[in-house]
Amino acid sequence: MTRPTLRTAFCDRVGVDYPIVLAGMGPVAGTGDPVATADLVAAVSNAGGLGIIGGVAYSPDRLREEIRKVRSLTDKPFGVDLLLSENFLVPRGDGPLPSLPPPDRLPQEHRDTVARIAKALDIDLAQAPRDPSPMGSWIPKGKSWAGCQIEVLLEEEVPVFASGLGTPGPFQEVLKAHGVTILSLVGTVRAAAQVAADGADYVVAQGTEAGGHTGRIGTLALLPQVMDAVAPTPVISAGGIASSRALAAVIAGGAEAGWCGTA
C-alpha cells in the first residue's frame, strides 16, 4: 500500500506535486541580492513545490535573464513575485528618480537601535555599497516600475504571478487574458477582500510570524477570518510554516497551500 500524498486543488491548478509555495524573497532591507533567485526557485519546483522568483529589484532585462535561467534548470511551473504598491505604479515623469536615503538622513534613534542590536549580537556594522545609478533608471518615461516588469512576465509566459504588496487590479485583466494565475499577499481581512474583488485567484493570508510585509495578526487567527471574507476564492496560508506539521495544520484549517520563506 502506497503512502498517501498531501494534495489539494491548488496542486492540480498550477501543476505541482505538493501544496508548498516558495516565498518570493527579495533583497533584505533594500540592500544585497534577492534570496529567491533562479537556483532556489528551480530547486523548489524540481522538488515538487512552486518556486517563486523575488523579482522586485530586477530591471526588465535582469528579470528576463532570471526567468530564462529558471527555465534552463527546470521544466516545472514557477512564478514571479513583484510589488504593486502605489509607488511602483506611478508613471515616470520628468522629475528625479527615487533613491534610497543616505544613512545620515535616518532618524538618530533608528541608527542607535541598529547599533545596539549589532553590539548585542557581536556583529560588525558595515555600510552597504551604494549603487551609482538611480533606482529604476531603466524605467522609460510614461511607464511604471511594475508595468515594465509585468510586460516581461507576459512576454516570457510565466504561469504564476504573486503580488507581495498592493492589489492586482491594474493588471488583472491582461494577466488573466494570458492565463496567468494570480496570488496576492495580505495581512488583514480588509486587504484580503480588496484583492479578491480585484481578481486574485488565490489570497495569501500572511500572519505576523512571516518575514517581509506583514501585519499584526497571527497566522492561525488570520487564516479563518480571511477564508470567511473571500469565499469562494481559495486561500493560501503564510507565516511560521516551517515544518510538515505546520503545513498539515494550515491545510487542515482550510488553506490550499503553505507559503514558506526562510524554512
Side-chain angles (χ1 to χ4, degrees), residues 217-237:
I217 307 172
T219 299
L220 292 184
L222 181 64
L223 175 60
Q225 295 180 66
V226 168
M227 289 173 56
D228 290 344
V230 304
T233 301
V235 176
I236 293 170
S237 185

Side-chain angles (χ1 to χ4, degrees), residues 15-244:
V16 298
D17 296 325
Y18 306 109
I20 297 174
V21 185
L22 169 67
M25 296 172 285
V28 177
T31 62
D33 293 325
V35 178
T37 56
D39 291 331
L40 178 58
V41 171
V44 171
S45 291
N46 281 329
L50 181 69
I52 301 283
I53 297 172
V56 64
Y58 291 145
S59 69
D61 289 343
R62 182 69 185 83
L63 180 58
R64 194 184 307 275
E65 290 176 5
E66 203 69 12
I67 290 169
R68 292 182 177 180
K69 184 177 179 182
V70 172
R71 285 218 165 94
S72 74
L73 298 171
T74 184
D75 60 357
K76 305 293 186 181
F78 67 97
V80 171
D81 186 310
L82 303 173
L83 301 184
L84 299 183
S85 51
E86 290 185 7
N87 53 319
F88 285 90
L89 298 174
V90 177
R92 178 180 175 182
D94 296 319
L97 289 162
S99 60
L100 293 174
D104 57 10
R105 286 186 56 192
L106 295 174
Q108 184 62 47
E109 58 267 30
H110 291 192
R111 286 180 277 160
D112 292 344
T113 298
V114 172
R116 187 166 60 251
I117 293 172
K119 182 178 180 180
L121 297 176
D122 195 25
I123 296 173
D124 292 329
L125 282 178
Q127 178 59 39
R130 296 186 62 79
D131 189 339
S133 61
M135 293 174 60
S137 57
W138 40 264
I139 305 173
K141 183 178 178 180
K143 290 193 174 185
S144 68
W145 185 308
C148 292
Q149 295 173 319
I150 290 289
E151 287 179 0
V152 175
L153 264 65
L154 300 177
E155 292 166 1
E156 294 296 320
E157 300 181 344
V158 174
V160 178
F161 166 68
S163 58
L165 275 178
T167 169
F171 302 107
Q172 64 104 355
E173 288 188 7
V174 67
L175 288 167
K176 289 179 181 294
H178 284 76
V180 179
T181 298
I182 303 172
L183 283 54
S184 290
L185 279 80
V186 298
T188 66
V189 175
R190 181 179 179 182
Q194 182 68 60
V195 300
D198 286 347
D201 296 303
Y202 290 87
V203 175
V204 183
Q206 181 169 270
T208 194
E209 298 93 326
H213 312 285
T214 63
R216 299 182 179 181
I217 307 172
T219 299
L220 292 184
L222 181 64
L223 175 60
Q225 295 180 66
V226 168
M227 289 173 56
D228 290 344
V230 304
T233 301
V235 176
I236 293 170
S237 185
I241 303 171
S243 68
S244 57

